[in-house]
Amino acid sequence: MFQVVKKLKLLKRELKDLHRNNFSNIIEEAAEDRNNLRRCQEALQQDPLNAALQEEEKIMGEKFRMSNYKAEMMMQQRSKANWLRAGDDNTKYFFSIMKQRKLAQIITQIEDQNSQVQHEPERIAEVFVEYYKELLGRKGERMGSAEQWFLKNGYRIDTKQQGDLLEPYTSKDVKEAIWGINVNKSPGPDGYGSGFSEKLGIS
């Protein structure tokens, strides 16, 4: 295990060189490709039958799609790196992100049981309370019958499925589980994301 960790640390140096040589200016490159594509398209609008401009527009389009994709991937990774570095330390960055999420999730109006739209914060809170009181029951009510209903009518695993849960797992199962993780998930403590193992075929 020590050798694996050591090799991964050495690999980071090579990856940093790769990033510096090929991706350090990718955002500026994507912006330049966008402008070149726009100029080519404007020229093509003036002379739509020009075969040379048509071919150039095709090449510029492919080049912009590739550079824009690389820039988008880099920004996703950078945002996760910023969060790992500053997001968990209760810093100003952390609180600004939480404020944005709170504003995005705020409820400004809701429809009550009488189909009346409520706008006041106090009334909105009351609508939620009443809804969950009806859903979960009020204080002092017995829930035994509801639990029995779930046990009788809910989905239950059969004997074969119970046996499958006790079966030993194989390296293939582990590989499928790791490769099934979304590649956009945040990297682990070693700095490598889930897509790293999949791209290299690590099992």
Side-chain angles (χ1 to χ4, degrees), residues 96-127:
S96 65
I97 295 297
M98 291 298 101
K99 185 177 180 180
Q100 292 178 5
R101 291 183 180 178
K102 185 176 180 180
L103 290 174
Q105 297 172 355
I106 191 170
I107 298 176
T108 58
Q109 64 181 30
I110 192 171
E111 187 176 289
D112 61 16
Q113 295 178 343
N114 300 321
S115 300
Q116 298 294 323
V117 179
Q118 304 295 336
H119 299 276
E120 296 296 330
E122 296 80 4
R123 189 69 191 106
I124 291 175
E126 291 176 2
V127 173

Side-chain angles (χ1 to χ4, degrees), residues 110-113 123-138:
I110 192 171
E111 187 176 289
D112 61 16
Q113 295 178 343
R123 189 69 191 106
I124 291 175
E126 291 176 2
V127 173
F128 274 105
V129 171
E130 289 299 323
Y131 172 78
Y132 281 104
K133 280 183 177 179
E134 293 295 330
L135 180 65
L136 302 176
R138 300 175 184 273

Side-chain angles (χ1 to χ4, degrees), residues 78-91:
R78 182 179 295 177
S79 67
K80 294 183 182 301
N82 289 339
W83 178 257
L84 289 174
R85 184 176 63 255
D88 292 336
D89 294 334
N90 291 336
T91 59

Side-chain angles (χ1 to χ4, degrees), residues 45-93:
Q45 288 179 352
Q46 301 296 326
D47 188 8
L49 299 180
N50 190 319
L53 287 177
Q54 293 176 2
E55 183 64 23
E56 183 180 0
E57 192 268 344
K58 180 180 179 181
I59 295 174
M60 288 291 100
E62 291 295 331
K63 190 172 186 297
F64 168 66
R65 276 188 287 272
M66 179 58 66
S67 61
N68 186 62
Y69 172 76
K70 291 180 180 179
E72 182 181 351
M73 292 296 102
M74 191 189 75
M75 293 302 293
Q76 286 183 354
Q77 295 174 8
R78 182 179 295 177
S79 67
K80 294 183 182 301
N82 289 339
W83 178 257
L84 289 174
R85 184 176 63 255
D88 292 336
D89 294 334
N90 291 336
T91 59
K92 183 178 180 181
Y93 175 78

